Amino acid sequence: MLNQINLADIRSFVLIAQLGNFTKAADALAVSRSHVSRQITALEKQMGVTLLTRTTRTLRLTQAGERFYRQCETALHQIDQALIAAIDDTEQVQGLLRVNCVGGYLGEEVIAAAIADFLSLHPQVTIDLDFSSHRIDLIDDQFDIAFRMGNLEDAGFVAKHLMDIDMVTLASPEYVTNYGELTHPKQLQQHRTLTGSVTKWSFVDPESTNKSVEIHVKGKLTCKNGRALIKAAKMGNGIIRVPKVYCEKEIESGELIELMPEWKIASVPFSAIFHKDRYQPKRLRSFLDFMRHRFH
């Protein structure tokens, strides 16, 4: 009897467990709700086990359903990866790549330009590029690869280091004239700061490289877009900390000046991350190799 169970019914059950709703699962599968309901009824009948407890308002997994879901979710992921591996054309670089990246200068200039060059080399590839900096799950969010700044500690990811990014603390000459020079990071707490997502600024003590000073700043403007912070700083609205590569022209022209240059800031790694357990089609392997060569 068990060898007659339909894999499509198991897929529907896993999707219902993930979404918590028959209607959402039916929409995702582009079938009717009654069709999905019949699938679950047939699956439970063939197995002789109740997998879901259903009422007019609630839906929950039974203990047996919970165990079945966990094992099936893993097994279906492995099947999907095997299918991708089997149909992947090993000779051609083609197909869809879903890429997530931080926005601002790094995403909109550096990564976007690299992607444009990659597409010129491989016209059979299609790339879906998403600019967002929230913490993502590469599997749940359906991304093949993501680009991120900072130290990445998630054991489920492989991080390929691409470059180190120098950080600078800047303000306009007008701001310094109006609010005064800074000689120590602790003075930041009495100044106007413009911040992104990071509000703990760390500085290396110039008298001892083993010592650092950490300051919690509260932004007069908070924005995750580096261009917006630079524009506000140029207008004399406050002090920013951004990657130097974002505003080299403004520094050279004197529109922005570096504050406390003797207090160094640790560089920030920029990496490509992807799931370590996922099969890598040729398009992804080629894209990773291209990016490594591009940055190195």
Side-chain angles (χ1 to χ4, degrees):
M1 181 68 71
L2 291 179
N3 61 3
Q4 295 177 357
I5 290 177
N6 193 326
L7 182 60
D9 295 346
I10 296 177
R11 284 190 179 277
S12 293
F13 165 73
V14 169
L15 193 58
I16 291 167
Q18 289 172 336
L19 299 177
N21 187 292
F22 271 74
T23 302
K24 290 180 181 178
D27 290 342
L29 294 168
V31 297
S32 67
R33 187 185 186 285
S34 59
H35 176 79
V36 173
S37 181
R38 286 195 297 271
Q39 284 184 299
I40 301 305
T41 299
L43 181 62
E44 290 179 325
K45 183 177 180 181
Q46 287 182 301
M47 293 177 63
V49 174
T50 299
L51 301 172
L52 296 166
T53 300
R54 290 166 272 180
T55 68
T56 54
R57 293 187 177 183
T58 62
L59 173 72
R60 65 179 181 85
L61 294 171
T62 63
Q63 189 174 7
E66 183 71 33
R67 287 197 303 267
F68 186 59
Y69 162 64
R70 300 267 175 226
Q71 291 180 309
C72 286
E73 183 184 40
T74 300
L76 286 176
H77 173 66
Q78 292 173 338
I79 290 172
D80 289 341
Q81 294 303 298
L83 287 169
I84 293 171
I87 65 177
D88 182 41
D89 191 330
T90 58
E91 299 301 321
Q92 297 292 325
V93 180
Q94 61 185 11
L96 174 64
L97 277 176
R98 296 181 177 89
V99 180
N100 177 274
C101 185
V102 292
Y105 180 88
L106 277 173
E108 296 164 24
E109 299 291 340
V110 178
I111 295 300
I115 285 176
D117 289 340
F118 181 79
L119 288 173
S120 296
L121 293 173
H122 303 287
Q124 299 304 312
V125 172
T126 300
I127 292 183
D128 184 348
L129 175 60
D130 175 78
F131 288 128
S132 58
S133 56
H134 66 286
R135 182 177 176 83
I136 65 167
D137 185 304
L138 291 178
I139 291 179
D140 288 349
D141 293 338
Q142 298 296 305
F143 291 114
D144 299 298
I145 185 171
F147 295 93
R148 283 291 182 273
M149 291 174 61
N151 296 309
L152 306 166
E153 300 177 354
D154 194 318
F157 292 158
V158 175
K160 292 296 181 183
H161 178 262
L162 298 176
M163 67 176 179
D164 288 319
I165 298 172
D166 292 331
M167 305 295 292
V168 285
T169 307
L170 305 169
S172 69
E174 292 77 13
Y175 178 88
V176 175
T177 299
N178 292 333
Y179 294 95
E181 288 272 5
L182 283 79
T183 57
H184 194 284
K186 289 183 178 179
Q187 294 172 316
L188 283 167
Q189 293 176 330
Q190 282 74 51
H191 277 261
R192 300 170 64 89
T193 54
L194 315 172
T195 65
S197 56
V198 177
T199 57
K200 184 172 69 175
W201 293 4
S202 180
F203 298 83
V204 177
D205 192 322
E207 297 181 2
S208 174
T209 56
N210 294 324
K211 289 178 61 179
S212 63
V213 175
E214 290 186 346
I215 303 297
H216 288 272
V217 295
K218 186 175 182 181
K220 290 293 184 180
L221 169 68
T222 300
C223 180
K224 293 181 180 180
N225 184 279
R227 295 179 192 273
L229 295 177
I230 291 167
K231 186 180 291 290
K234 286 165 61 178
M235 296 294 292
N237 287 306
I239 299 169
I240 58 173
R241 169 178 284 195
V242 293
K244 188 175 183 180
V245 70
Y246 280 24
C247 48
E248 288 178 330
K249 290 181 180 179
E250 288 82 356
I251 295 172
E252 289 175 8
S253 68
E255 291 179 276
L256 293 173
I257 56 177
E258 187 173 357
L259 305 180
M260 302 176 292
E262 68 279 6
W263 288 83
K264 301 301 180 185
I265 307 169
S267 59
V268 178
F270 184 64
S271 307
I273 61 173
F274 49 92
H275 201 277
K276 68 177 182 180
D277 295 328
R278 210 174 240 192
Y279 172 78
Q280 293 179 15
K282 188 173 179 66
R283 59 185 174 273
L284 179 55
R285 297 195 302 272
S286 297
F287 185 66
L288 282 167
D289 288 341
F290 176 86
M291 285 298 179
R292 289 193 197 101
H293 288 124
R294 177 89 170 203
F295 283 90
H296 291 165

